[in-house]
Amino acid sequence: MTEELSIVAENKCFGGWHKRYTHRSTALNCAMTFAVFLPPDAAEGAPVPAVYWLSGLTCTEENFMQKAGAMRVAADLGLALVAPDTSPRGDDVPDDPAGGWDFGKGAGFYVDATEAPWSRHYRMHDYVVNELPALVERHFPVTGGRAISGHSMGGHGALVCALRNPGRYVSVSAFAPIANPSAVPWGEKALGHLLGADRARWREWDASALLAEAREHLPTLIDQGDRDTFLETQLRPEVLKHAAEAAGYPVTLRMQPGYDHSYYFIATFIEDHLRHHAKALGAAG
């Protein structure tokens, strides 16, 4: 590695390697941390495709790698996993002026802010779609084959990244995504700060609105627990389902009885999602 990346930690796992790095982000104008899992083939230098994972509110790059149980499956399928942090960090980065947990550091919402003071740092969409993949593909044995997935706020991010960037990914999936952010409290708060008061601009970052204009139809898998306490007030998957049906977009939405919003839910179905992506990426398994 060059000095562009500084390693924080590395752990051998299922014959591959889990590693965490820091680097200076141009898009976010701050230092950022991300995690990568390299399956055995990649650890030996053979290029493999990558699945990008976007985590939810209050999370970091560590939550998914530690809790999802994804590395065993990724090792078997020959997939690299890449998990960025959920927002810019640092003393110079503005935070929620109300001191809340649902916006600001740890809650960047994967959009490119246009309003001061947020626009100086909160450009997570550009970071996830452009800067981070370029960095990963420059420094690690991964191909240009990319898929994207995420949870909650990160599920919203995954869907929007795929919908706004035709040709960038071959498949998308989400766990309990904020499916209609322009019409729920979490999204209204974040988008109001980051994009301003004009709600028409919010729709440019709302998967349920973007589906109608999608120029590319990717295989899309969504899992949602029916005991998720945020289901009715914050997530609204039924809006996304109806938008997909109207647009003829291939979304598979599975309501999972008894499951909540936690990583227990994610760990239960992560293998399905990784196999969904492996098929689209032409990976093993």
Side-chain angles (χ1 to χ4, degrees):
M1 296 297 167
T2 71
E3 62 183 6
E4 186 174 16
L5 294 178
S6 297
I7 193 161
V8 176
E10 59 180 346
N11 314 91
K12 192 164 186 179
C13 188
F14 296 106
W17 286 91
H18 162 262
K19 302 186 179 190
R20 292 176 64 223
Y21 293 90
T22 61
H23 72 105
R24 180 74 186 180
S25 168
T26 300
L28 303 175
N29 196 28
C30 66
M32 288 295 287
T33 305
F34 71 93
V36 60
F37 172 71
L38 299 174
D41 285 350
E44 295 176 4
V48 298
V51 177
Y52 288 78
W53 172 269
L54 307 184
S55 292
L57 292 163
T58 75
C59 291
T60 70
E61 74 289 343
E62 294 186 274
N63 295 76
F64 175 72
M65 293 298 193
Q66 293 181 358
K67 296 180 178 181
M71 286 185 277
R72 175 189 61 80
V73 182
D76 288 344
L77 295 175
L79 297 173
L81 303 175
V82 183
D85 200 351
T86 51
S87 76
R89 309 271 183 176
D91 293 340
D92 295 334
V93 175
D95 206 353
D96 186 346
W101 58 269
D102 55 355
F103 172 66
K105 295 178 186 178
F109 265 81
Y110 304 105
V111 306
D112 288 342
T114 57
E115 302 298 301
W118 318 104
S119 57
R120 177 171 167 76
H121 297 285
Y122 284 80
R123 299 186 59 81
M124 285 296 295
H125 183 82
D126 185 22
Y127 177 72
V128 167
V129 171
N130 298 308
E131 185 177 11
L132 183 59
L135 188 71
V136 168
E137 290 166 16
R138 190 158 61 246
H139 290 292
F140 299 97
V142 296
T143 68
R146 307 177 203 94
I148 192 164
S149 185
H151 172 228
S152 193
M153 176 186 72
H156 141 74
L159 293 168
V160 169
C161 286
L163 287 164
R164 286 177 61 99
N165 296 278
R168 197 72 175 152
Y169 307 98
V170 301
S171 55
V172 60
S173 73
F175 291 82
I178 304 173
N180 187 204
S182 63
V184 300
W186 280 342
E188 290 174 331
K189 178 178 180 178
L191 300 180
H193 281 301
L194 299 170
L195 304 176
D198 183 359
R199 287 176 174 261
R201 293 166 63 190
W202 300 4
R203 292 177 58 81
E204 299 172 11
W205 301 94
D206 186 317
S208 294
L210 290 170
L211 279 172
E213 302 174 1
R215 292 187 285 130
E216 175 185 62
H217 286 191
L218 299 182
T220 303
L221 174 62
I222 297 174
D223 276 311
Q224 171 66 61
D226 71 358
R227 293 185 63 183
D228 190 323
T229 55
F230 303 115
L231 177 56
E232 295 183 3
T233 58
Q234 303 284 9
L235 306 179
R236 304 191 66 185
E238 74 284 354
V239 177
L240 185 74
K241 179 181 179 182
H242 294 154
E245 290 172 349
Y249 198 99
V251 171
T252 299
L253 172 61
R254 307 191 305 188
M255 293 298 296
Q256 301 292 0
Y259 286 91
D260 57 20
H261 200 70
S262 71
Y263 264 86
Y264 297 106
F265 162 55
I266 295 170
T268 302
F269 298 105
I270 191 63
E271 181 166 354
D272 290 355
H273 285 243
L274 292 180
R275 290 191 179 279
H276 164 80
H277 294 303
K279 180 179 179 181
L281 289 162

